[in-house]
Structures are given as structure tokens and as C-alpha cells.
Amino acid sequence: MTLAWQNRLIYLLAFCSGFSIMGVELLGGRILAPFFGSSVHIWGSIITVFMLSLSIGYLYGGKLSTQNANLTRYGMIFIVAGVLVLPIALWANPIMETIFVAIEDSRYGSLAAASALFLLPTIVLGMISPYSVRLLVTSKEQSGQVAGILYFVSTLGSAMGTIFTSFYFVLWFEVNTIIVSYSALLVVLGATAITFQKLASQTQLAATEEVAHEN
Amino acid sequence: MKTNVYLLATLLAFSFFTTSALAKVIHQERSMYRNILVEDTGNLRCLKFNVKSKKTNQSCFLKSDPNRLVFNYTKLMFSGMIVNPNPSRILIVGLGGGTMSNTLHQLLPDAEIENIEIDPAVIKVARQYFSFFENDKVTSKVVDGRIFIKRALLKKQHYDWIILDAFNGDYIPEHLMTKEFLQETKKLLSDNGVLTANTFSISDLYDYESSTYQSVFGNFYQVKSKRQENRIILTTKNELPNKAQLKTNLAALHDRLRPYDVNILKVFNSFTNKQDWPANAPILTDQFSPANLLNQ
């Protein structure tokens, strides 16, 4: 398990997190529509909540990466994000119904509903980018280059997540099926990162033992 | 050679139409949702959304005779009165030029008419250019149809006639053609309430929409124009009356509607309850409603 493979895995994970974020965001409009309509302000609410959550996530992700950054913790972020996405499929209707009854103005109603459904999972998803940078950067000189590639990969993932979800997935599947799939994808990716870390440390351990024997 | 002849013919036809039409744009604005155009062609004034669309004219009226209905599908909408000749509460979802509201107020001066329109610019244009008026019986409100219906249900409101006409222009509000939406709309109907909906008559949506209405209302009538460019789905909350039952009101209604250029006998003859879509056509739901993708 080389460092090159580890970096490829991180780029893949960053791509998939970008894909999932925009996939969920796009479905957000469809999830809110039955209660809050399809006026322009619905998208205002959704985009606001996603941008706000991502910005908070970037801050926390960066902070978290300063303490003993490793692939296991990175994988845990994915698993937590995946679990937090699931309530969107499970409880969106009762949550929206409560808010619909409580808040008369559909602008603030949709803002509250978007927050209730998307704030937490998107904060956690936002933590992925800065954490990826921390895992990828090994020297100060290449930090800009690494950040550039990472933004490229994750934003490309976002673009793909947007187009596939809006052009095809909604034509083939139910909204909840797509949401559950994103949730499962994130959990599987997280588990992959953790497994990779385990295997890597085992090989490393074996290698150090070998070195110790030779001495 | 042959292609040249075709080309010449096309050019001639094109120049003929453009010179004979002489449409003049008298108002143009870009609203939050669409481009709005008001066009005068001689005596005819039309409201248009997104100019390059296949179905460009949304609402038209004759300046000299504003009571006369120009569009065939608005005439077909009056089929609702065959089922319920004296509705006292009417809900119109999708205002357009407001011609339906104006005409209904003249026909039924005591009826309460509520117009729901998502785009404030459309209401403004209807008032300014299409003589759309409001008074203590006729009101309009800027709100998404789905939200209005959900709130009306919470307030335990009922309507004797609901007119769904929100599917204009190129973009289809997908949340207004799902099974859940129709269930909510059905609950909002009074016991003798009737629903008339302007729906898609072409594209893949035809089958999906038909199947969705059937899943909620069971049997329904389709009211189609001869050229099949529009179809109205007509259905009721309770049992759908048969054609023989409906015939009883027809003669009186005919005289009432004649001044508006609606021939209700002709409309009645275009009633059909024949199922002309496949039995296994999928149903649109809040979970699955790719209406805009199906309408390619």
C-alpha cells in the first residue's frame, strides 16, 4: 500500500463527496416542492443552506485536520455524513409538515425546512475538502498545487452529480432511492478509507518488524 | 431543382405570414420566471411566454369584444358547468390573462372566484392589458398552487369548481401533477365539486398524466378539441355523473354561454371516457415526477 495509492483513494473520495453534495442539493428542490412550492425563493433557501453549511464544514474540517490527521478519521467523516443524509429519506415529510404548520411565510418555511434537512449532513460533507488537503500535502511547496487538483476533482464531482441526478436519476428512480444510495455510497467510501488505513499500518508494521529483525 | 421550388415556396409562405400578421409587441418584460410578451395583431391581443416555444399564445382576447373567448381550450374548460351549473366557490390555479376569471364573474356574479398565480408580473400584465379585474367577489393571490391548496385544506375550505391551468410555457411545475397533489386537490372539492384541468395532449406525459388522474379519481371524462391540441380532464369528488344525467342542464346552459362564443353542445359532444392510454402507464408521484424530462 503505497502513498500514491492512498492519494488516488483520497481524490476518488473527494470526487464522490462532491458528487453526493450536489446530488442531494438538486433533489432538495424536489423534496421541498410539495410543501413549499417551486418559487424562486425555494432555491434561495436551498442554496443558502448548502453554502452556509459548507462554509461551516470547511472551518471545522480544517480545525480537525490539525489534530493527528489520518485516513481512519477521514473515513469516519464519510460514515457520519452518510448516516446524517439518511433522515432526509426517512423523515422529510413529517419534518416538513411540522414546519409548514408552524411557519406561514413559505420563504422562511422553506429556509427552516432546508436547514432541518440539509444543514448537518452538509456541514460534515464540507469537512472533507480541507481534511483531504491535509492528508495530501507533504510539503509547503506543493500545497497550492495539491489544493488546486483537489478543488478540480471535487468540483468536477459536483458537476457530474448535478447533471446525472437531474438528467437521468430522477427519470429512473424515486427520490428516496437516490438519497439512500448517496447515503450508502458515503458509508461504503468511509469504510474503504478505514480498511485502507488498517491494511497500510499492517504492512508498515510488518516492514518495521522486518527491519528490526535485520538489525 | 425540386429543393429550389420548395425553398421558394417556403420563403413565399413565410413572407406572406409575416406581412399579414403584423404583430406589434406592446409590452415586454422579464419576470422572475419567464419572459412575458403582450402582442397586438389587429383586434387580437395575446399574452405570450417564452417566444420560441411551440405553444406560444397563453391567453388572447379581442379588444373590441373582450367577452368573447378566443381560445378553444378555455371554451372546453366551461365543461365544468355542465356538471355543476351554479358553483358558488371557484378556485383558478394559473391566471394567464385572467379571461377565465372575468368571464366567470359575468356569468356567475354571486360566485366567489379566487385566482392563484405564482408570478406577480403575470397578474400585473393581466390587469394592465387584459382588463382583468378584482372586486369583493374576485380576488387574486401570488402563491404557488401547491402551497395554497395545502393551506386551504388546513383551513378546511371547499370549492365547487377547481380549474387547474398552471401548465403554460416550457417549464412544467412537476409538483402540480403528482398523485399526492391530486389527492389534496380532491379533498378540497365540495361534495358536488368538479375539477377541470388543462393537461398535456401530446408527448409521453399523456399516458403518465392520465394514469395518475385515474389512480386518484377513478373514471374521468376527457374533453378534447377536434384538432386534439388540448385536452381537459374533467372529474368529480364523488361518483362521476353519466352522460344522460349531464344532458338535463345542457339547453339552459347553452343560452347562458352563447354570448361568450362557447358552444356547450359542441363541448358536450367531445366528452369521452374511453381509456386511450396503456393500462400499465406509470403514475407520477412526489417521489417520481420527471415531467419536464418526459415532455421532450
Side-chain angles (χ1 to χ4, degrees):
Chain A
M1 301 287 166
T2 61
L3 200 65
W5 276 104
Q6 178 172 324
N7 288 357
R8 272 171 217 169
L9 179 71
I10 291 167
Y11 284 125
L12 174 75
L13 263 66
F15 178 89
C16 292
S17 79
F19 195 103
S20 313
I21 289 171
M22 282 312 293
V24 173
E25 179 168 348
L26 207 110
L27 293 175
R30 184 157 297 223
I31 293 167
L32 294 186
F35 287 87
F36 304 100
S38 63
S39 312
V40 171
H41 59 249
I42 296 302
W43 282 108
S45 295
I46 292 173
I47 295 168
T48 303
V49 168
F50 270 81
M51 289 298 140
L52 199 67
S53 323
L54 286 175
S55 67
I56 299 168
Y58 295 152
L59 210 59
Y60 276 107
K63 179 95 181 139
L64 190 74
S65 75
T66 59
Q67 300 148 16
N68 190 19
N70 58 53
L71 262 187
T72 308
R73 291 188 167 194
Y74 187 61
M76 281 309 293
I77 300 176
F78 278 82
I79 292 176
V80 172
V83 171
L84 288 173
V85 163
L86 207 55
I88 301 171
L90 296 178
W91 304 309
N93 274 341
I95 291 171
M96 286 191 293
E97 208 168 334
T98 316
I99 295 169
F100 181 78
V101 173
I103 304 172
E104 190 68 46
D105 189 326
S106 69
R107 289 173 302 175
Y108 298 106
S110 66
L111 191 64
S115 306
L117 294 172
F118 307 118
L119 193 75
L120 282 181
T122 316
I123 287 177
V124 180
L125 285 165
M127 294 166 69
I128 289 166
S129 284
Y131 210 96
S132 308
V133 173
R134 169 65 188 82
L135 291 177
L136 290 165
V137 168
T138 47
S139 73
K140 205 158 64 181
E141 285 71 32
Q142 39 147 257
S143 58
Q145 166 85 31
V146 165
I149 300 173
L150 188 88
Y151 290 143
F152 165 74
V153 167
S154 71
T155 309
L156 192 70
S158 294
M160 294 300 116
T162 307
I163 197 164
F164 276 101
T165 309
S166 62
F167 281 25
Y168 304 104
F169 294 167
V170 292
L171 194 58
W172 298 334
F173 312 108
E174 291 203 335
V175 172
N176 281 354
T177 313
I178 308 170
I179 293 282
V180 171
S181 306
Y182 283 136
S183 163
L185 173 75
L186 290 168
V187 171
V188 167
L189 290 172
T192 311
I194 293 169
T195 316
F196 191 96
Q197 172 78 53
K198 277 219 173 95
L199 292 175
S201 50
Q202 272 169 17
T203 18
Q204 207 175 18
L205 201 68
T208 13
E209 269 171 18
E210 228 165 81
V211 175
H213 277 293
E214 275 169 18
N215 288 343
Chain B
M1 188 59 205
K2 210 172 177 187
T3 42
N4 278 343
V5 174
Y6 275 126
L7 196 67
L8 196 67
T10 321
L11 276 174
L12 274 174
F14 186 70
S15 61
F16 175 74
F17 278 119
T18 43
T19 46
S20 72
L22 277 175
K24 208 175 87 196
V25 176
I26 58 164
H27 178 77
Q28 189 168 12
E29 77 174 277
R30 183 183 288 263
S31 81
M32 267 192 294
Y33 299 93
R34 48 178 80 93
N35 287 317
I36 300 173
L37 272 169
V38 181
E39 223 175 63
D40 273 6
T41 312
N43 192 22
L44 188 73
R45 174 170 293 175
C46 287
L47 173 69
K48 292 184 165 190
F49 298 148
N50 312 322
V51 189
K52 279 179 183 156
S53 146
K54 287 165 272 172
K55 271 172 63 182
T56 50
N57 286 339
Q58 297 305 330
S59 190
C60 290
F61 85 141
L62 294 167
K63 283 184 279 180
S64 60
D65 192 2
N67 285 351
R68 263 171 75 108
L69 292 159
V70 176
F71 265 141
N72 207 14
Y73 90 88
T74 23
K75 297 177 187 177
L76 298 181
M77 279 286 191
F78 283 88
S79 53
M81 286 181 74
I82 300 177
V83 178
N84 195 343
N86 286 303
S88 57
R89 290 197 73 187
I90 303 169
L91 176 66
I92 302 174
V93 181
L95 180 71
T99 40
M100 195 74 194
S101 172
N102 283 4
T103 308
L104 283 177
H105 180 63
Q106 288 169 52
L107 259 170
L108 306 155
D110 295 326
E112 257 177 71
I113 302 171
E114 284 177 75
N115 291 283
I116 300 308
E117 168 60 49
I118 195 170
D119 191 343
V122 171
I123 299 184
K124 198 190 73 192
V125 166
R127 283 179 192 144
Q128 274 177 4
Y129 296 95
F130 292 86
S131 331
F132 168 60
F133 59 85
E134 288 145 286
N135 54 33
D136 55 339
K137 291 285 177 192
V138 183
T139 55
S140 71
K141 202 173 176 189
V142 179
V143 59
D144 185 290
R146 186 82 189 253
I147 301 178
F148 180 87
I149 285 177
K150 266 208 159 80
R151 292 243 174 259
L153 278 176
L154 284 180
K155 293 175 201 151
K156 306 220 181 326
Q157 308 275 311
H158 288 106
Y159 292 90
D160 305 314
W161 187 7
I162 297 177
I163 297 168
L164 293 183
D165 191 15
F167 313 136
N168 303 326
D170 291 327
Y171 176 77
I172 306 163
E174 295 172 331
H175 61 308
L176 298 185
M177 52 169 66
T178 66
K179 184 183 172 184
E180 291 88 343
F181 171 68
L182 293 178
Q183 283 167 338
E184 289 163 8
T185 308
K186 188 181 180 184
K187 268 191 229 155
L188 204 57
L189 286 171
S190 62
D191 282 339
N192 56 352
V194 56
L195 172 83
T196 49
N198 182 21
T199 64
F200 284 83
S201 46
I202 44 158
S203 86
D204 287 350
L205 258 183
Y206 186 94
D207 297 346
Y208 285 72
E209 240 187 340
S210 309
S211 181
T212 309
Y213 272 85
Q214 193 180 37
S215 75
V216 175
F217 290 98
N219 207 1
F220 59 78
Y221 285 114
Q222 300 195 53
V223 191
K224 289 182 181 184
S225 63
K226 227 183 247 140
R227 281 179 290 169
Q228 310 263 313
E229 59 222 335
N230 279 100
R231 74 153 169 172
I232 304 297
I233 286 183
L234 181 146
T235 188
T236 49
K237 183 182 187 176
N238 294 315
E239 189 134 341
L240 193 69
N242 62 38
K243 274 186 108 169
Q245 286 171 293
L246 291 176
K247 246 183 184 150
T248 52
N249 298 321
L250 222 49
L253 195 59
H254 181 73
D255 296 340
R256 277 170 82 193
L257 288 173
R258 210 58 208 138
Y260 305 96
D261 207 18
V262 178
N263 186 343
I264 204 72
L265 299 172
K266 235 167 84 183
V267 171
F268 183 67
N269 283 332
S270 62
F271 269 41
T272 165
N273 55 1
K274 208 178 74 200
Q275 180 169 339
D276 55 359
W277 63 93
N280 58 354
I283 292 168
L284 299 167
T285 67
D286 282 347
Q287 285 287 322
F288 176 77
S289 182
N292 286 292
L293 293 172
L294 291 167
N295 191 39
Q296 299 294 339

